[in-house]
Amino acid sequence: MAEKSPDGVKYYRLSEIEEQNTFKSTWIIIHNKVYDVTKFLEEHPGGEEVLREQAGGNATESFEDVGHSSDAREMAADMVIGELHPVSLSLSLSCSWWSNWLIPSLVAAIITLMYRIYTTESE
Ligand code: HEM
């Protein structure tokens, strides 16, 4: 269930947001805020398809890539229904840490190792 923080902000967990990816209701995440865009789908100048594609997930990058106007940002502010739960937040942060740093470092380490083996064998 959604929890409320002491200052009254509703927190949603990632799993709860993922469930709202249906024809009846569409939620997206932008900058760790949860937006209910269900009623906005048909009005969106960028089309409902792009919003549906991001439904139940993190749309921050796509939203910023488009370079939405300040008008668009004001419209978005009216659709905020809560924030990403801190637990989900740290999860999503650690996920990007994992893919952005750990995997490339591992690949680099393996290549270094293979190179070492290769150069010592040919001596
Ligand atoms: C609550 C969230 C959103 C709101 C309120 C919103 C609102 C708007 C508005 C008002 C425009 C017209 C141009 C402008 O004023 O900047 C626009 C254009 C556009 N939006 Fe969004 N948008 C939202 C989310 C998204 C997301 C998540 C995506 C991408 C997945 C997206 C993709 C686009 C695209 C591609 C256009 C350009 C359409 C064109 O120039 O023909 N929007 N949006």
Side-chain angles (χ1 to χ4, degrees):
M1 273 303 288
E3 294 166 39
K4 276 200 171 177
S5 78
D7 51 2
V9 176
K10 228 177 181 186
Y11 282 135
Y12 295 94
R13 285 170 189 272
L14 211 49
S15 53
E16 289 175 276
I17 302 164
E18 280 162 4
E19 281 166 19
Q20 304 301 322
N21 177 14
T22 61
F23 271 85
K24 276 195 206 136
S25 100
T26 309
W27 292 5
I28 55 173
I29 304 164
I30 303 170
H31 293 299
N32 303 320
K33 289 207 169 77
V34 185
Y35 295 82
D36 183 349
V37 295
T38 315
K39 296 198 180 81
F40 179 64
L41 287 173
E42 287 175 19
E43 294 165 32
H44 183 223
E48 63 181 278
E49 200 48 47
V50 285
L51 292 180
R52 282 198 200 281
E53 271 170 25
Q54 306 293 326
N58 191 348
T60 310
E61 240 179 84
S62 328
F63 183 82
E64 292 303 341
D65 279 353
V66 174
H68 280 92
S69 64
S70 46
D71 267 4
R73 284 164 206 272
E74 272 171 34
M75 289 167 83
D78 290 340
M79 286 175 251
V80 177
I81 51 165
E83 289 186 19
L84 195 55
H85 192 283
V87 172
S88 299
L89 182 61
S90 63
L91 258 179
S92 62
L93 282 179
S94 63
C95 280
S96 65
W97 178 83
W98 171 263
S99 54
N100 291 342
W101 292 99
L102 198 59
I103 294 173
S105 327
L106 274 177
V107 171
I110 291 168
I111 292 173
T112 314
L113 201 69
M114 283 169 68
Y115 180 73
R116 287 245 177 101
I117 293 170
Y118 175 76
T119 46
T120 38
E121 265 175 7
S122 56
E123 263 169 21

